[in-house]
Amino acid sequence: MRKHLEKAAKLARIALNEEEVPAIEQAFVGLMAHFEHLGTIEDLPEMKRKAVRLRTDETAVTDYQPDWEERETKDQALVIPRVMD
Amino acid sequence: MYEVVIGLEIHVELKTKSKLFCTCSTDFGAEPNSQVCPICLGMPGTLPQVNQEAVQLAIRAGGVFGCTIQPLSQFSRKNYMYPDLPKAYQITQYQEPICTDGGIEVLREGKKTMIRLERIHMEEDPGKLMHPDYEHFSLADYNRSGIPLIEIVTKPDLRSPEEAVSFLKALRTQLEFADISDCRMEQGSMRCDANISLREPGNQVLGTKVEIKNINSFKEVQKALEKEIKRQSDLLRFGEGDKIVQETRKWDAGKGRTVPMRSKEDAEDYRYFDDPDLPALILTQGQIQAAQEGIPSETALERRQRFMEEYDLSESEAVTLTEDAVLARLMDQAAGKASSPRKVANWILTEGLRLYRSGQGFRVNARALLALLKEIESGALSHSAAKQVFEYIWEQQGTVADAIETLGLKQMSDSSQLETLVAKIVADNPQAVAEIKSGNGKAFGFLMGAVMKETKGKANPKVAKELIEAELKK
Amino acid sequence: MTKKQIIEEIQSKDQTIGAFLSLDQDVREADPGQSAGRLADLAMAIKDNIAVKDHPLTCASKMLKDHRAGYDATVIERLRQAGAWFVGKTNMDEFAMGGSTENSAFQKTKNPKDLSCVPGGSSGGSAAAVAGGMVSASLGSDTGGSIRQPAAYCGIVGLKPTYGRVSRYGLVAFASSFDQIGPMTTTLEECESIFSVIAGEDQRDPTCMGKAYSVQTPLKDFSQLKVGFLSDLSGVAPDVAKAYQAFCQELSDAGAKLEEIEFVLPQEAVSVYYVLSSAEASSNLGRFDGIRYGMRGQGETVEAVMRDSRGRGFGLEVKRRVLFGTHVLSAGYQDQVYKKAQRYRAMLRAKMKDLFAIYDLLLMPTTPTPAFEFGAHNDDPMAMYLEDAFTVPASLTGIPAISIPYGKSQQGLPIGMQVMASHGKEETIFSVLKGLEEKFGVFGRRDSDV
């Protein structure tokens, strides 16, 4: 269970502190029971699919300004922490 | 020595006015973060709205390459966290793409060979990140976030770097012809990743696949693949084949080789699932047909061959004229109505190409070109005068008649006027006359030159020649 | 009273309750035309996961502590047009994950009917604002019961509309295929009125079904009405069971034909709900990384900053669901657990459709017990999840479901009854319930309720 949790934390980019882990693990175990339960179901019907509506290709004129909430910008590009390639 | 197996993944920006899921403009070159809205910034609570034109262009692309258009396809979420991806998922089509199968023909050792496509699917572009040198920060511009793309995936049917480039050129031409995309690799509207593996000839099993990214031009496609082939075949030759691992390598144009990308401890797991915000994309036959109206009825290869046959062009001339949709269209429009397609081709290939290289589009249209040729044929314009007119129209636009008028280039064919002039020049140049009479043909050229100079190039050379000869006889 | 006075009064009442995360202290007074709309001058409280332009949108999370909405949700636009105005944003379980509002990162909301008890969740603040007499109407959101359960616990009316009948544009997504915005009100009449304003077409929400709603006339002749009710009330508290029996009797007295059904949906329904909603939530909450907005963590690289933002910005329950959801999806597309759960859901929908081929309405208690005390479920998160069994069927199948106040427990806590109709048939719910009100009195104002 711990391994699953750690892998999920890595993918979800969430830093876990040790104190939280037992509580999360406990709920995980309970929720996994749901998960396993589902595995025994066979012979399920296909789903009916609705159709998505499409939008006309036109640009809308707005005065929307992104609110970076006091983050720095350089020539309107957003400054973000260094990205390792 | 080894058989090379190449597959390509090409991302092409669709030529729409607005983005795939919102009404922001797709214009290139705007100020950073000036073409954004809550939707393409992934602000909490926003939802995507599918752009109809993007769907139509994807259907068109499928039609152009002979794909099966799926009447039902589905947008899915590709989940990963990266600062250029505002929602932390890219909306794409994973299990049910809009187009499957299809292909593009290339010539392999003179024979037509079909390079099969795996699929074409729709997806949105992430934003753009920049990493200024020597800085401890990066920069994000979300103008590109949400721009509609199609991803074209080939089967591993290509067998050489040159072939890969031919394939890409054919792909680009057809996409341009069908008005699906501008396909400018330099502007980023067309991007290409390559997958390559080597194997012993005759071996059915594919070798270890290496993915190459960061290729920014057709030339680089060839170079990168050649370098990678060398790297892998060297390793194989020296018995170090196990050093070839399945990985993604980055093409470093500066260093002229591929380098491993930073390896992540765990491969990213994209956790694809159908996007619950978007019901299925369901298309009727009517919609599919409507979207495919007016797509080119011939493949790039067929067009090349037709140009060679119909217009009497050499292969390289046909290649040059058909690789570029603008030139090909112009050729077809003009050559159909011209007395000599050959002449049309000449103009496009010489004067036309010279000016076209400056990169502002081809600025003389079929009508102007035909009018120009008519003036030349009727004798109203000399060739050098015609060149002036061509350039003038290229710069200023307008009609041929206006250009001739403005430049004062109406060729002098009126014999009487010319006669007087010729007489004068002959009279003024007794030395030249003497030389001609003593057999020196060159001096004739001198007299011709003088006439042309006097008339500022407007004299009809044929008429001038006749008049000079007649005068000399006197 | 001026708007400012109204807000001051609310602020004073809210001292003991804690329903509001923010109040609009800078409210603009006169708004010409406001008195003319269908909801003339109606003061409303809005759950803090619904976007009101330039106002806080915190979702009761540290992650969005200082975040403000840059645009209006569609429902807000529609309400404004109808004349309503908004007094403030209400408390909730963080990112709508929870059943008591105890998961709010900021404050506790108390049940106005009993301050030692929870108001329910996740729309606990919206329920308490109405139950505490601060406003007569609020907006909440319902994913697995988050409007109906707090409505029941606080003794008010709460409607979860048919999935797709109200636009989700502007609702911070928790589980996209379940979320719905709905009204929470003192009276049934006001609930219907607000629903008629917010329901309808919206191009900005592709899952919107585009069906408008008109106010219904109360049903007079109940003889053609067929109603299903539960035969098995195991797990239901005695007071709730008694109230339920009385409610069923009321329908019968009005002339409807009542028939016993074994259960609405099999128990697996709760499993399907948790698998699907957690999976969708894990994807929907990926955008909260602190890079563009919200709490930005510390770190030298962007990866480190994202991890820290989410590590410190998300509370425990959110982490649980996101991690579980991530795991469910990463079990491999090959396993198709998510797809299997979806197909199971399709089967449940079909079962529900079969039921409504026979019955016009289904009746259930909204919750097995009345409101519980603070901290009662701290040691057992699973118990909280299992309580959803009563509300989850409507969420899974997309059908409309309303909770109305019906009686009190021996301790004086409100009890709620749930009425469900077929997909898109809110009309039946309101015409029937208004018919009952005409015959037997307004729900929540009867002697048995006070």
Side-chain angles (χ1 to χ4, degrees):
Chain A
M1 200 48 56
R2 180 81 194 231
K3 243 178 65 182
H4 289 308
L5 201 65
E6 282 174 358
K7 180 165 177 234
K10 208 167 218 151
L11 284 172
R13 304 291 195 278
I14 297 180
L16 290 177
N17 62 54
E18 273 310 309
E19 303 154 353
E20 295 174 310
V21 175
I24 299 179
E25 236 176 325
Q26 185 196 29
F28 227 77
V29 171
L31 290 166
M32 282 300 283
H34 288 300
F35 184 86
E36 250 112 58
H37 195 110
L38 235 34
T40 64
I41 289 134
E42 303 300 335
D43 293 326
L44 297 169
E46 275 304 320
M47 284 187 325
K48 244 182 42 179
R49 318 277 287 269
K50 270 175 61 185
V52 73
R53 285 168 316 196
L54 301 175
R55 180 197 107 230
T56 318
D57 181 26
E58 52 196 6
T59 51
V61 179
T62 66
D63 52 5
Y64 179 77
Q65 297 282 351
D67 176 9
W68 303 123
E69 295 174 5
E70 285 158 42
R71 286 169 176 73
E72 250 194 277
T73 58
K74 277 195 171 20
D75 298 319
Q76 286 179 255
L78 176 66
V79 173
I80 65 174
R82 188 71 182 186
V83 178
M84 295 309 206
D85 221 342
Chain B
M1 230 200 100
Y2 294 102
E3 187 183 33
V4 170
V5 175
I6 297 170
L8 297 176
E9 273 170 32
I10 305 113
H11 288 89
V12 173
E13 279 182 17
L14 298 175
K15 219 158 122 170
T16 57
K17 295 198 205 97
S18 59
K19 293 185 178 181
L20 183 51
F21 297 117
C22 64
T23 53
C24 287
S25 165
T26 56
D27 283 347
F28 180 78
E31 287 293 303
N33 295 312
S34 64
Q35 286 172 184
V36 295
C37 75
I39 296 172
C40 55
L41 283 179
M43 300 308 281
T46 54
L47 295 168
Q49 271 181 279
V50 183
N51 182 338
Q52 185 178 59
E53 180 67 12
V55 173
Q56 287 174 326
L57 292 178
I59 297 171
R60 263 176 106 72
V64 166
F65 301 121
C67 305
T68 305
I69 312 295
Q70 295 297 332
L72 186 147
S73 60
Q74 175 66 42
F75 287 104
S76 28
R77 294 188 185 181
K78 178 181 183 182
N79 298 279
Y80 63 96
M81 288 187 63
Y82 203 63
D84 66 357
L85 200 62
K87 295 186 296 296
Y89 57 85
Q90 178 195 34
I91 300 179
T92 177
Q93 293 181 311
Y94 182 68
Q95 263 212 335
E96 293 168 305
I98 187 170
C99 305
T100 53
D101 306 310
I104 300 176
E105 281 180 322
V106 295
L107 284 179
R108 181 179 294 163
E109 283 158 17
K111 255 181 49 190
K112 272 199 212 173
T113 310
M114 180 62 78
I115 306 299
R116 297 165 303 166
L117 296 183
E118 185 70 56
R119 53 154 61 202
I120 301 180
H121 69 253
M122 299 175 65
E123 61 184 33
E124 57 176 343
D125 221 344
K128 208 167 68 164
L129 298 179
M130 293 155 284
H131 316 286
D133 291 329
Y134 314 120
E135 294 284 10
H136 62 280
F137 58 82
S138 292
L139 295 168
D141 173 14
Y142 296 99
N143 283 352
R144 208 182 67 179
S145 166
I147 293 227
L149 303 175
I150 41 171
E151 179 173 332
I152 302 170
V153 182
T154 74
K155 291 203 199 264
D157 286 352
L158 294 162
R159 293 287 175 268
S160 74
E162 296 77 18
E163 198 168 273
V165 176
S166 300
F167 173 87
L168 287 170
K169 286 185 175 169
L171 181 83
R172 181 182 63 182
T173 305
Q174 292 298 78
L175 287 172
E176 281 184 313
F177 238 104
D179 275 315
I180 291 167
S181 173
D182 289 331
C183 293
R184 305 252 168 82
M185 271 187 100
E186 315 74 43
Q187 277 184 5
S189 55
M190 181 171 169
R191 286 160 246 162
C192 179
D193 295 328
N195 293 307
I196 181 168
S197 64
L198 268 51
R199 65 183 174 192
E200 300 277 352
N203 192 347
Q204 292 302 323
V205 179
L206 290 172
T208 308
K209 186 173 78 168
V210 171
E211 187 188 11
I212 303 176
K213 283 175 130 48
N214 197 42
I215 300 169
N216 294 315
S217 71
F218 285 173
K219 275 210 179 71
E220 281 185 26
V221 168
Q222 183 148 350
K223 263 203 182 136
L225 287 171
E226 283 168 355
K227 288 288 177 173
E228 181 59 19
I229 290 171
K230 179 151 196 329
R231 183 187 79 91
Q232 288 194 23
S233 55
D234 282 348
L235 285 170
L236 286 167
R237 231 199 310 269
F238 294 114
E240 293 183 314
D242 54 331
K243 286 210 177 123
I244 302 171
V245 294
Q246 184 162 329
E247 60 172 339
T248 301
R249 296 176 73 88
K250 188 174 158 192
W251 167 246
D252 187 327
K255 296 200 176 101
R257 57 186 166 94
T258 62
V259 294
M261 285 182 83
R262 234 169 79 99
S263 70
K264 300 169 179 145
E265 302 103 78
D266 290 297
E268 190 71 66
D269 177 351
Y270 296 120
R271 293 154 277 143
Y272 292 97
F273 68 103
D274 291 349
D275 193 332
D277 290 329
L278 292 168
L281 186 57
I282 295 176
L283 304 168
T284 62
Q285 274 311 307
Q287 282 174 304
I288 294 173
Q289 270 168 357
Q292 293 185 347
E293 246 179 79
I295 58 170
S297 49
E298 56 192 350
T299 65
L301 216 54
E302 285 166 357
R303 188 176 302 114
R304 187 198 299 179
Q305 280 165 347
R306 175 170 68 83
F307 270 37
M308 284 166 69
E309 285 159 28
E310 237 177 81
Y311 303 139
D312 193 29
L313 302 171
S314 70
E315 180 166 20
S316 75
E317 287 174 332
V319 166
T320 306
L321 284 175
T322 57
E323 255 171 22
D324 186 320
V326 170
L327 299 180
R329 253 197 210 112
L330 178 62
M331 186 67 198
D332 271 334
Q333 281 167 346
K337 303 199 179 98
S339 57
S340 164
R342 179 75 251 175
K343 290 204 173 120
V344 174
N346 287 345
W347 272 93
I348 299 175
L349 290 168
T350 54
E351 288 308 298
L353 273 188
R354 180 176 68 83
L355 295 165
Y356 189 41
R357 297 244 148 84
S358 69
Q360 303 200 315
F362 200 95
R363 292 168 60 81
V364 172
N365 60 24
R367 199 210 233 155
L369 195 50
L370 287 167
L372 192 64
L373 284 172
K374 259 213 181 75
E375 296 287 343
I376 297 172
E377 268 152 41
S378 73
L381 278 185
S382 68
H383 191 86
S384 64
K387 271 163 79 165
Q388 286 181 63
V389 171
F390 189 93
E391 231 180 285
Y392 182 85
I393 293 177
W394 189 284
E395 299 298 321
Q396 310 290 344
Q397 303 288 278
T399 64
V400 169
D402 288 340
I404 291 176
E405 179 85 32
T406 311
L407 294 171
L409 284 176
K410 199 79 187 150
Q411 188 158 272
M412 267 198 220
S413 300
D414 179 8
S415 293
S416 53
Q417 224 187 341
L418 210 46
E419 244 184 270
T420 323
L421 191 77
V422 166
K424 182 169 177 293
I425 285 176
V426 168
D428 286 344
N429 293 281
Q431 218 172 341
V433 175
E435 293 209 16
I436 292 169
K437 292 206 167 137
S438 68
N440 184 356
K442 264 202 217 151
F444 192 92
F446 173 78
L447 288 178
M448 273 292 281
V451 171
M452 295 309 268
K453 189 160 163 229
E454 239 348 273
T455 61
K456 293 194 180 68
K458 284 192 255 178
N460 183 324
K462 219 172 98 189
V463 175
K465 179 166 177 279
E466 284 165 8
L467 289 172
I468 295 173
E469 282 169 354
E471 190 65 29
L472 288 172
K473 285 212 177 90
K474 285 187 184 156
Chain C
M1 284 209 319
T2 65
K3 287 183 185 172
K4 241 192 155 76
Q5 285 170 330
I6 292 173
I7 289 186
E8 272 163 25
E9 198 177 278
I10 290 173
Q11 188 160 28
S12 146
K13 277 190 184 158
D14 202 34
Q15 298 280 352
T16 44
I17 310 291
F20 285 90
L21 286 176
S22 63
L23 286 166
D24 188 5
Q25 306 286 7
D26 299 316
V27 65
R28 265 175 43 240
E29 280 303 332
D31 226 330
Q34 192 146 51
S35 308
R38 238 187 307 175
L39 301 177
D41 289 325
L42 178 65
M44 291 185 69
I46 307 294
K47 188 175 181 181
D48 211 10
N49 61 355
I50 297 171
V52 179
K53 188 161 187 243
D54 299 329
H55 288 254
L57 183 66
T58 70
C59 301
S61 177
K62 285 201 202 113
M63 177 66 79
L64 295 178
K65 185 166 68 78
D66 298 314
H67 182 70
R68 287 183 178 251
Y71 66 100
D72 271 337
T74 299
V75 293
I76 297 298
E77 276 179 7
R78 296 175 88 117
L79 287 169
R80 261 200 245 273
Q81 254 176 5
W85 62 286
F86 312 114
V87 305
K89 308 302 290 298
T90 58
N91 200 18
M92 51 185 281
D93 282 301
E94 188 181 355
F95 285 111
M97 298 178 188
S100 64
T101 308
E102 291 174 295
N103 291 326
S104 165
F106 301 132
Q107 68 194 42
K108 196 169 171 166
T109 300
K110 298 183 183 145
N111 189 324
K113 302 289 164 75
D114 182 335
L115 300 176
S116 68
C117 289
V118 301
S122 59
S123 310
S126 283
V130 171
M134 293 176 251
V135 289
S136 66
S138 64
L139 281 189
S141 73
D142 193 306
T143 303
S146 292
I147 283 178
R148 293 163 284 158
Q149 184 249 41
Y153 281 8
C154 291
I156 63 169
V157 180
L159 170 73
K160 180 202 84 68
T162 305
Y163 180 81
R165 204 145 182 202
V166 174
S167 170
R168 287 187 297 120
Y169 189 79
L171 170 65
V172 180
F174 160 12
S176 315
S177 70
F178 294 88
D179 295 341
Q180 272 293 277
I181 296 174
M184 301 176 76
T185 56
T186 321
T187 65
L188 182 73
E189 188 183 351
E190 193 142 57
C191 186
E192 190 189 25
S193 181
I194 291 172
F195 178 63
S196 74
V197 169
I198 60 176
E201 178 64 74
D202 185 19
Q203 294 291 341
R204 286 169 287 190
D205 178 355
T207 58
C208 198
M209 65 192 281
K211 191 178 175 199
Y213 178 88
S214 317
V215 169
Q216 301 294 294
T217 51
L219 187 67
K220 304 272 194 243
D221 176 13
F222 280 64
S223 62
Q224 300 306 308
L225 201 68
K226 249 181 128 179
V227 178
F229 73 99
L230 288 183
S231 55
D232 179 8
L233 290 178
S234 52
V236 176
D239 287 347
V240 177
K242 213 167 124 209
Y244 181 61
Q245 274 145 11
F247 185 56
C248 296
Q249 189 59 51
E250 186 170 318
L251 257 307
S252 183
D253 290 346
K257 288 195 205 38
L258 260 69
E259 242 175 63
E260 270 188 53
I261 57 175
E262 211 192 322
F263 52 76
V264 174
L265 286 184
Q267 273 289 39
E268 286 83 9
V270 180
S271 309
V272 174
Y273 170 74
Y274 273 101
V275 167
L276 293 177
S277 64
S278 303
E280 290 178 10
S282 73
S283 176
N284 285 326
L285 268 64
R287 68 192 68 201
F288 300 110
D289 57 14
I291 298 301
R292 287 162 299 287
Y293 53 86
M295 184 184 117
R296 197 190 256 194
Q298 306 289 337
E300 288 305 309
T301 63
V302 85
E303 280 270 331
V305 168
M306 290 199 277
R307 256 197 268 269
D308 189 45
S309 305
R310 293 160 73 75
R312 292 194 291 124
F314 286 156
L316 192 59
E317 185 59 27
V318 170
K319 280 184 192 166
R320 273 192 193 128
R321 308 258 191 133
V322 167
L323 291 174
F324 177 61
T326 305
H327 177 64
V328 160
L329 289 174
S330 79
Y333 205 68
Q334 270 45 283
D335 294 359
Q336 302 199 6
V337 175
Y338 182 76
K339 264 240 158 104
K340 223 175 204 174
Q342 285 284 48
R343 290 171 71 184
Y344 197 81
R345 187 179 186 181
M347 187 189 77
L348 295 172
R349 271 191 226 264
K351 275 202 157 77
M352 193 63 97
K353 207 164 167 217
D354 289 342
L355 274 177
F356 281 108
I358 307 170
Y359 304 104
D360 300 297
L361 296 176
L362 296 177
L363 307 181
M364 280 179 76
T366 306
T367 58
T369 66
F372 49 88
E373 289 179 2
F374 283 103
H377 289 304
N378 272 357
D379 296 328
D380 189 2
M382 294 314 298
M384 189 107 81
Y385 297 153
L386 289 170
E387 279 199 11
D388 293 334
F390 284 58
T391 48
V392 149
S395 310
L396 273 170
T397 56
I399 60 170
I402 196 170
S403 178
I404 46 147
Y406 204 81
K408 284 193 330 237
S409 73
Q410 296 222 316
Q411 284 85 15
L413 289 167
I415 294 173
M417 287 299 126
Q418 188 178 198
V419 179
M420 298 181 282
S422 183
H423 200 267
K425 290 285 199 269
E426 283 85 340
E427 285 80 351
T428 310
I429 292 177
F430 283 111
S431 70
V432 167
L433 291 177
K434 288 206 301 195
L436 288 179
E437 283 195 331
E438 246 179 21
K439 290 188 205 288
F440 304 116
V442 172
F443 291 114
R445 299 237 177 99
R446 303 179 184 179
D447 295 334
S448 48
D449 299 315
V450 186

